[in-house]
Amino acid sequence: MTTQHLSPTARTTPTRGRKRQVDDRRRLMALLTDALVAHLGVTAGTHPVVLPAAFAVDADGPDAGGTLYLHGSVAAGWLTPALERDVCVTVTELDGLVLARTGFHHSMNYRSAVVIGRPRQVTDLGERRRALDLIVDHMMPGRAATIPAPTRKELAATAVLALPLAEASMKERVGGASLEPGDLELTGWAGHVPLRRVADAPVTEDYVADPVPESVLRRVAELGRV
């Protein structure tokens, strides 16, 4: 049974910065819904690698705690090692730069998730198709229903990994710079610079005569929303 509490194990319980720890699983799901890129950490042969990946989240997925789907290639060198041992997936959204009166207290505002576990390769055809649709729709909501289904050749070339969300943690920093008593005696500006994503106007391919769909225009507006 999925609980609304995060960090169920020692591996995903923060040991530093506990005041930034987020315990509410719903906030983790909100971050995974908002973010666009995940980073997969895996030991591939003799060395570790961290790779960006398209992803999608299914809170009601078949794995413990819900399912994080990761997109890859069947020819990728990291695929087999990722299935043989636990991996770590991180997702981070940068929300601001924090400038203090001392370098020690310079920081960043962020939302960050860490998921640890043993992934499985999705082989069931129905689940693979659904997972790929979720990944497309994660980037552009509603897009999967407007394009052709993947062909057999495309499915054969595409790997989908499913990672349980049971073992996950989240941290978040908001607000301005930390203030030490001695900082009041110093001079100079301190504060924070909020950051947000901004999407430019869609650029239509030269061979396309169709107008930009309303769904794309809505997504452009949403991507820059705080």
Side-chain angles (χ1 to χ4, degrees):
M1 180 180 296
T2 300
T3 69
Q4 294 304 324
H5 183 72
L6 286 174
S7 298
T9 73
R11 295 196 302 184
T12 51
T13 299
T15 57
R16 292 185 58 82
R18 288 180 178 269
K19 66 180 180 179
R20 297 175 185 172
Q21 179 178 347
V22 175
D23 292 325
D24 191 341
R25 181 172 292 273
R26 291 169 296 186
R27 290 173 65 184
L28 169 72
M29 293 301 180
L31 168 59
L32 295 179
T33 299
D34 185 40
L36 293 173
V37 178
H39 284 87
L40 168 68
V42 59
T43 300
T46 60
H47 60 279
V49 292
V50 178
L51 301 164
F55 75 98
V57 62
D58 184 357
D60 299 317
D63 300 285
T67 303
L68 182 70
Y69 288 112
L70 298 165
H71 177 277
S73 168
V74 295
W78 55 262
L79 180 60
T80 298
L83 297 170
E84 294 176 342
R85 56 182 64 90
D86 288 357
V87 301
C88 178
V89 172
T90 63
V91 174
T92 303
E93 284 290 291
L94 181 61
D95 298 320
L97 305 177
V98 180
L99 287 71
R101 279 184 165 174
T102 64
F104 183 80
H105 285 300
H106 275 60
S107 187
M108 296 182 184
N109 287 336
Y110 64 90
R111 292 161 288 148
S112 182
V114 174
V115 185
I116 298 174
R118 181 69 57 87
R120 62 182 174 87
Q121 187 167 1
V122 179
T123 57
D124 177 79
L125 184 59
E127 186 183 3
R128 289 183 70 203
R129 286 177 171 170
R130 182 171 183 276
L132 290 171
D133 283 350
L134 287 174
I135 292 170
V136 169
D137 284 344
H138 185 77
M139 178 171 57
M140 184 63 61
R143 181 72 174 172
T146 68
I147 58 177
T151 65
R152 287 187 178 183
K153 182 178 180 180
E154 291 170 340
L155 287 172
T158 304
V160 178
L161 297 188
L163 183 65
L165 286 169
E167 198 172 0
S169 66
M170 178 178 171
K171 293 175 71 174
E172 178 181 52
R173 190 196 191 283
V174 297
S178 299
L179 184 65
E180 298 290 345
D183 292 348
L184 296 176
E185 302 173 4
L186 302 175
T187 59
W189 187 85
H192 67 283
V193 180
L195 299 178
R196 63 185 178 91
R197 290 178 304 208
V198 177
D200 289 333
V203 179
T204 302
E205 299 292 349
D206 294 339
Y207 55 83
V208 174
D210 305 84
V212 179
E214 285 297 324
S215 59
V216 175
L217 296 176
R218 285 195 301 270
R219 181 60 165 157
V220 168
E222 290 171 357
L223 283 174
R225 188 176 301 166
V226 177

